[in-house]
Amino acid sequence: MPFVEAFRQFQFKAKRENFCTVHVSLVPQPSTTGEQKTKPTQISVRALRGLGLSPDLIICRSSMPIEMPVKEKISMFCHVKPEQVICIHDVSSTYRVPMLLEGQGVVKYFKERLSLPIGDSETHLLFKWRNMADRYDKLQKACTIALVGKYTKLRDCYSSVFKALEHSALAINHKLNLMYIDSLDLEQITKAEDPVKFHEAWQKLCKADGILVPGGFGTRGTLGKLQAISLARAKKIPFLGICLGMQLAVIEFARNCLNLKDADSTEFEPNASIPLVIDMPEHNPGELEGTMRLGSRRTVFRTEDSILRKLYGDVPFIEERHRHRYEVNPKMISQFEQKGLNFVGQDVDGKRMEIIELANHPYFVGVQFHPEFSSRPLKPSPPYLGLLLAATGNLNAYMQQGCQLASSLWSN
């Protein structure tokens, strides 16, 4: 395994005081005997040592708490101290795991082993984390969000989106009920081939408190996404479009509100008569390698009258991560703003459209960037937080309180 060899070599370059090896191993407990088995851990540690790495900590995963004799056995046969054997059993949520680690001295171990400057601020952070985990276990209310995408059969594709939604739901004391809807199931082709699947998809979409269309590539499923966006706009269902989701929201508005029926993206139709979403100037059509606009980029708010600006803390600009190679055609912006679709955020040069907001709508927002990448459990992403607040009917009250993302949320 190349990465193991890379770690083996790296430990000498980094030196022991800067390098720590943590080995994670399963401790199975067969239902036939109920005995926790240490042999898999012994064998895996022996194999790791044979590859030139010695574990500083052994993390033992199990369904039930590991008994002390089992822990001592692992310590003896794996040549580590008992306090270096950390036991992580199944808990009510992953948010409980850091507390299990801290309770077994992992923080103290790393502080001493790596000479880390851990002080009172980290202790306070752990206190806030514990309160958050307690609240997660006591949630009663639920909020249903429909994620309309094309990769729903591989849900790991949307793991960062799911976590950003979960962070925001937890911040407002709600459980997240996320419904994955394959956008292809919303299209007429599915209605003809499988009417039951078609109607089930639309029933799920209509029951949602909010609709989210994430990023993606290619033409498959785009008609279904456009129909979901149209429903959100017309029925005033809270909506968030990410990357391609924002581009499709602009296309949907052009076709149905500006009567530009031929408006399209050059990604889908290279010779579109109304190229509303276009290749970026630095993108060479037909050459996909190395042509994406990537990394953290600054977005400047054009106006103070913006929902997202207030959710971000009323700042003049933000920095979020990008991953796209198409953008909204800046030559057509004025037509949209006359009809209420406002481009409230642009890049530093004022040429690239980064944020859209629809007037007279509870929450209809699109962003060209990917805010889910910077979402954290104790600091949810503002666009996602806005979606959850609107979906639960709390956005206006929250805006009136100043949109502060600090203590008022975590104290509930």
Side-chain angles (χ1 to χ4, degrees), residues 20 56-57 84 105-114:
C20 190
D56 295 280
L57 290 178
Q84 291 174 262
V106 170
V107 175
K108 181 182 177 182
Y109 178 84
F110 282 134
K111 181 179 180 180
E112 296 174 353
R113 171 72 173 73
L114 300 174

Side-chain angles (χ1 to χ4, degrees), residues 217 279-280 282-294 323-326:
F217 296 94
D279 304 76
M280 294 186 298
E282 62 269 36
H283 174 207
N284 296 318
E287 298 180 13
L288 300 184
E289 184 177 355
T291 59
M292 298 189 75
R293 185 168 179 249
L294 297 169
R323 187 176 184 272
H324 64 104
R325 60 169 60 93
Y326 296 89

Side-chain angles (χ1 to χ4, degrees), residues 73-85:
K73 186 176 181 181
I74 293 173
S75 168
M76 178 183 298
F77 289 100
C78 294
H79 309 290
V80 295
K81 296 179 180 179
E83 56 266 28
Q84 291 174 262
V85 180

